[in-house]
Amino acid sequence: MNNIKNQFPIFEKESGLTYLDSGATTLKPRSVIEKMMDYYTNYSANIHRGVYGISEQATTAYENAREKVAKFIGVEDPSEIIFTKGTTESINLVARGWGDKKIIEGDEIIVTEMEHHSNLVPWQELAKREGGLIKYIKLGQNHKLDLSELAGSINENTRILAITQVSNVLGAVNQIKQIADVVHDINPEVVIVVDGAQAVAHMPVNVAELGCDFYAFSGHKMYGPTGIGVLWGKKMLLDEMDPVNFGGGMIGEVSKLESTWAPIPDKFEGGTPPIAEAIGLGAAVDFLENFGLENISDQENEVAQYALSQLATIEGLKIFSAGEAGIMAMELSGVHAHDVATILDREGVCVRAGHHCAMPLHQILGAGATFRVSLGIYNTKEDIDKLIVGIKKAKDIFKV
Ligand code: ALA
């Protein structure tokens, strides 16, 4: 993976850029940008509507992207891939489309203490609407989940387990297969919804092997465009779900007072979809597969281990990380996370600061705010050296 930065046009303009915020969004490779430009320049027609050449070309490109995404996460039937705006919309679709129909008073929804608000708030709201109960899997040692009480928390009222595959703060990788097995041994009916936003660009994912029912992720965190995401669901569940976005393209028949719905995936893709974005996402899949997810994971892990070893030498730095998936949040004693991030910015180093859309987790960690390093395919040990210099400058400036 030598000279990978050459594939990202942003580095031509910003040669001093040290981008350590891929958990927020990844930079975009030339191949993705060009694929989208090609659509806009050469065949920017609407899909599924025209019988003329460029509309059919656009439809084919859009549906090819769906097939690529399906293959990418080990799904045989591309109609199980629903294009959404992103992970948040995907999870909200399940909460509304499946949850509103199926959850009744007294039903239990299990979440974990490390969830991003996207995989927490939709379930809180569903529970409020339908009279459900939210229960938590707690954080244990080493910034990993404590699974010792998992079996005890599942019962005949459990309907949903909503869990992230990779924490966007701790980088902890949850063993979804192992967790799904425990849950389904006790109650085979539990629907397992996995937030894969921080996983898909960093490790091979096969949803059948994970044993989950729904899997959600975003294009822009996997070198694709913003405005496109994916919800994968088992066909049986998607078929019984209600659509939540009504209008053109998602109907079967419409009469003056009643309508029926198109089969999946169209049922959930009302209105003109993000065509260029879907095509760009297909190119992002090609980009990732060209390197191989195993190779990407190995390289990111090597840089992450180097980062952890270097960060450990800085006095007053508390690191909240399981040391996995290239994600590590931290706190510098006596300096607010936003101040650290601002000083790092002056050094050309981009990190995210705040609660990273995980307020309950930060309360549990006892941290008001943290700054977070999250790696991508382009990061090197030199990037980490610049990070370390920047954190030391922050210490000097604030005299801590
Ligand atoms: N969810 C994204 C992050 O963790 C935005 O930064």
Side-chain angles (χ1 to χ4, degrees):
M1 294 206 254
N2 285 337
N3 297 325
I4 182 90
K5 283 186 176 164
N6 291 344
Q7 297 195 31
F8 289 80
I10 196 167
F11 290 116
E12 286 165 19
K13 286 207 163 158
E14 302 272 349
S15 55
L17 182 70
T18 298
Y19 189 74
L20 296 172
D21 198 17
S22 293
T25 195
T26 53
L27 303 175
K28 312 306 171 206
R30 187 174 289 105
S31 57
V32 168
I33 299 166
E34 284 179 353
K35 201 82 182 172
M36 294 175 75
M37 280 282 284
D38 179 40
Y39 164 74
Y40 281 127
T41 309
N42 296 314
Y43 61 103
S44 62
N46 211 328
I47 59 162
H48 296 156
R49 285 158 171 84
V51 289
Y52 49 90
I54 55 170
S55 174
E56 285 178 357
Q57 191 182 349
T59 301
T60 303
Y62 182 80
E63 293 303 333
N64 276 349
R66 196 190 307 279
E67 283 169 26
K68 281 178 204 243
V69 169
K71 209 166 132 267
F72 180 61
I73 57 167
V75 169
E76 273 176 27
D77 178 357
S79 76
E80 293 180 339
I81 299 294
I82 314 299
F83 285 135
T84 64
K85 212 166 69 186
T87 308
T88 303
E89 191 174 85
S90 297
I91 295 172
N92 275 278
L93 175 55
V94 180
R96 281 279 180 189
W98 192 86
D100 282 6
K101 199 167 179 183
K102 298 286 180 178
I103 297 296
I104 57 169
E105 192 161 348
D107 281 351
E108 295 181 1
I109 299 167
I110 314 267
V111 295
T112 85
E113 286 185 338
M114 62 169 71
E115 294 313 311
H116 188 285
H117 298 162
S118 300
N119 203 23
L120 178 56
V121 183
W123 307 118
Q124 290 175 342
E125 291 302 301
L126 169 63
K128 273 194 236 161
R129 284 195 301 276
E130 306 298 334
L133 205 75
I134 301 280
K135 283 164 87 176
Y136 277 85
I137 302 176
K138 292 199 165 54
L139 198 65
Q141 300 289 309
N142 304 325
H143 306 115
K144 305 275 282 179
L145 288 180
D146 175 4
L147 298 179
S148 64
E149 289 173 16
L150 174 64
S153 64
I154 308 297
N155 58 49
E156 71 278 12
N157 295 325
T158 314
R159 287 284 165 273
I160 295 170
L161 166 65
I163 182 167
T164 190
Q165 190 174 3
V166 175
S167 160
N168 74 318
V169 176
L170 308 168
V173 179
N174 292 319
Q175 299 308 314
I176 302 295
K177 168 78 182 131
Q178 184 194 331
I179 292 168
D181 284 349
V182 171
V183 170
H184 284 152
D185 271 355
I186 300 164
N187 182 345
E189 304 291 313
V190 177
V191 165
I192 299 184
V193 184
V194 176
D195 171 355
Q198 300 290 346
V200 283
H202 306 280
M203 61 195 62
V205 169
N206 180 310
V207 292
E209 284 171 13
L210 293 179
C212 58
D213 298 282
F214 290 103
Y215 191 90
F217 58 100
S218 298
H220 73 97
K221 292 190 205 296
M222 52 177 281
Y223 308 99
T226 53
I228 180 100
V230 172
L231 174 68
W232 166 78
K234 286 184 176 158
K235 184 173 181 342
M236 199 187 71
L237 295 170
L238 292 171
D239 279 342
E240 66 185 9
M241 259 166 78
D242 285 333
V244 299
N245 188 30
F246 302 94
M250 51 75 67
I251 49 85
E253 292 288 333
V254 178
S255 65
K256 274 189 165 171
L257 293 180
E258 289 295 334
S259 302
T260 59
W261 316 135
I264 62 166
D266 296 355
K267 178 169 83 169
F268 299 110
E269 295 182 6
T272 295
I275 303 167
E277 289 78 0
I279 293 168
L281 178 59
V285 169
D286 289 341
F287 173 82
L288 282 166
E289 286 184 337
N290 187 33
F291 290 100
L293 269 299
E294 293 283 1
N295 295 331
I296 294 169
S297 168
D298 287 350
Q299 177 185 292
E300 288 177 355
N301 279 335
E302 195 183 321
V303 178
Q305 288 313 316
Y306 178 72
L308 286 172
S309 70
Q310 297 303 300
L311 291 165
T313 64
I314 301 180
E315 221 175 288
L317 194 66
K318 195 166 172 188
I319 304 165
F320 303 102
S321 173
E324 297 171 315
I327 297 179
M328 51 209 95
M330 57 206 98
E331 180 178 61
L332 182 59
S333 173
V335 189
H336 193 278
H338 280 120
D339 291 329
V340 181
T342 304
I343 288 160
L344 286 172
D345 176 47
R346 284 194 214 152
E347 302 294 309
V349 179
C350 309
V351 297
R352 184 176 172 187
H355 48 67
H356 317 296
C357 306
M359 279 186 183
L361 174 61
H362 276 73
Q363 281 153 14
I364 289 154
L365 295 174
T370 55
F371 64 99
R372 180 192 67 182
V373 168
S374 53
L375 301 177
I377 195 167
Y378 24 64
N379 290 125
T380 60
K381 291 180 182 170
E382 288 71 45
D383 292 334
I384 302 303
D385 293 340
K386 283 179 71 181
L387 168 76
I388 301 295
V389 168
I391 298 175
K392 287 183 176 163
K393 279 207 175 145
K395 275 177 69 94
D396 283 348
I397 291 167
F398 285 90
K399 303 195 183 346
V400 294

